[in-house]
Amino acid sequence: MQTQTLANMRDESTPAHPEYDPRHPLVVFGDHRFCAGESLEVQRMPGPHMHSQIELNFVLEGEMTYWFDGRELTVDAGRLCLFWGMVPHQVIARAEPTRFVCLYVPMSVFLGLASLSQFRDAVFRGAVIEAMHLTAWDRDIFMRWRLELLSDDASLTEIIRNELTARVLRIERDGWRDLREEGSAIASLAPHGAERIEHVERMLRFVAEHALGDVRAEAVAASSGLHPNYAMSLFKRSVGQSITQAITRHRLDTAQSLLISTDKSITEIVYESGFGSISRFYEAFSDRFGERPKKFRQRLRAKAVLSS
């Protein structure tokens, strides 16, 4: 099924799997560029989605509510947040009007920031980072970055990459908080590891695009073009978890999206999210979320009814 727009719901991304309905959370968006959202207007999204870049949201006016990894998070005007797009997320509500600048930064930029160990750890563990200190000129800078990225000028993009990297370094220095909870360790790469970063990024993309099928760690490692044993070791050092753990996490991210956004049975969700065993799914889900899938769904739906 081709991507469609619904009333008051718009998504600018290009799906890696256009055969799925855009409201279906299995859609993983395949544009890995350094780019900006074309629209300033925040719209409700038809369903949770995922993409490979780090996403930065600077809210210009109004208020927007994200569903993010099982939580509802509201961000209002004058706040700057960032998160890894591979964690399922969806704009579920917004004030009228709400405007923001949305920038997408390749994960390789963050993988290369060896000095940001704790900050980067939190991002890749699924944190929603909020900058605690903003400047009077942040609004104008983000607006300029957006316009220059939309111009598709390669030389400007490289300048923005350097400027935005410096801005992220300042967020780490000046103070930040995780709107969800504290993140945990992701190992650092050596400063000279640009080529290694490319291999890790390639493996992360492969996980994102194939984890819902019958994929094994060996196939992910092979996608890097490196010797499998070395690739697995590099992935573990860089991401703080094994390839197998990363595959399981992606499957669980998809499963929780399906539990919330669809009426599919638990058994259907088990297989659509890539698990080949119902018992393995229950074990992995309970280990991560601390409750069984049915209770997880009932709790979040009850909360949605109370807040509606």
Side-chain angles (χ1 to χ4, degrees):
M1 181 179 294
Q2 296 298 315
T3 300
Q4 303 171 14
T5 56
L6 307 179
N8 294 321
M9 295 186 179
R10 184 167 62 229
D11 197 308
E12 300 174 343
S13 306
T14 302
H17 302 289
E19 67 273 18
Y20 291 124
D21 187 294
R23 290 165 293 183
H24 196 294
L26 301 192
V27 177
V28 178
F29 293 93
D31 190 342
H32 307 293
R33 296 179 303 141
F34 200 138
C35 55
E38 293 186 7
S39 176
L40 289 172
E41 303 298 323
V42 175
Q43 303 288 345
R44 291 174 58 233
M45 292 163 55
H49 79 178
M50 297 172 272
H51 54 80
S52 69
Q53 304 107 315
I54 305 298
E55 180 172 336
L56 289 91
N57 293 167
F58 187 91
V59 183
L60 302 170
E61 63 175 311
E63 178 182 277
M64 58 191 289
T65 299
Y66 265 118
W67 175 85
F68 191 92
D69 196 23
R71 297 169 174 82
E72 291 183 10
L73 304 172
T74 298
V75 184
D76 52 15
R79 294 169 69 184
L80 168 62
C81 295
L82 64 88
F83 55 85
W84 188 24
M86 280 314 304
V87 179
H89 56 283
Q90 175 187 5
V91 177
I92 59 174
R94 50 87 171 95
E96 182 65 49
T98 297
R99 299 168 69 246
F100 74 154
V101 173
C102 185
L103 305 181
Y104 301 94
V105 182
M107 70 176 82
S108 56
V109 173
F110 275 67
L111 284 169
L113 296 176
S115 63
L116 295 184
S117 57
Q118 184 180 0
F119 181 90
R120 191 184 62 177
D121 295 356
V123 171
F124 281 93
R125 287 299 189 183
V128 178
I129 300 293
E130 180 180 12
M132 298 302 293
H133 298 282
L134 299 180
T135 68
W137 52 87
D138 268 321
R139 180 188 179 97
D140 291 339
I141 289 175
F142 273 83
M143 290 288 284
R144 187 186 71 191
W145 284 339
R146 171 183 170 271
L147 289 173
E148 291 180 344
L149 284 170
L150 290 175
S151 74
D152 208 25
D153 183 318
S155 60
L156 279 175
T157 298
E158 188 58 32
I159 292 171
I160 296 166
R161 176 187 296 266
N162 293 329
E163 292 176 343
L164 190 52
T165 298
R167 185 66 188 92
V168 170
L169 290 169
R170 285 193 176 275
I171 293 174
E172 194 277 337
R173 179 185 181 278
D174 295 342
W176 54 275
R177 64 171 177 154
D178 179 355
L179 293 185
R180 297 188 330 143
E181 57 192 10
E182 290 294 326
S184 59
I186 180 174
S188 63
L189 291 172
H192 57 278
E195 185 177 349
R196 296 178 186 179
I197 290 169
E198 181 180 343
H199 292 305
V200 173
E201 183 178 15
R202 192 176 302 146
M203 287 187 281
L204 284 166
R205 289 183 188 176
F206 193 91
V207 169
E209 294 173 2
H210 297 86
L212 305 184
D214 184 18
V215 64
R216 298 182 181 278
E218 292 78 9
V220 178
S223 73
S224 69
L226 302 171
H227 186 282
N229 291 342
Y230 176 71
M232 290 182 189
S233 175
L234 176 63
F235 190 96
K236 174 76 172 179
R237 294 200 313 272
S238 305
V239 182
Q241 57 186 319
S242 69
I243 291 175
T244 299
Q245 289 170 328
I247 292 170
T248 299
R249 173 172 180 124
H250 185 77
R251 289 171 175 170
L252 289 171
D253 283 340
T254 301
Q256 65 161 324
S257 297
L258 287 168
L259 283 165
I260 293 170
S261 62
T262 76
D263 292 319
K264 292 178 180 292
S265 70
I266 303 296
T267 300
E268 288 178 300
I269 289 171
V270 168
Y271 295 109
E272 286 206 22
S273 57
F275 286 92
S277 162
I278 294 176
S279 61
R280 172 62 186 131
F281 169 73
Y282 272 88
E283 178 185 4
F285 194 93
S286 297
D287 283 347
R288 177 170 172 190
F289 298 108
E291 58 189 340
R292 293 173 70 82
K294 183 177 180 180
K295 184 176 180 181
F296 177 89
R297 170 182 265 172
Q298 290 172 339
R299 177 175 57 83
L300 290 180
R301 290 192 173 183
K303 180 180 178 182
V305 170
L306 289 173
S307 61
S308 62

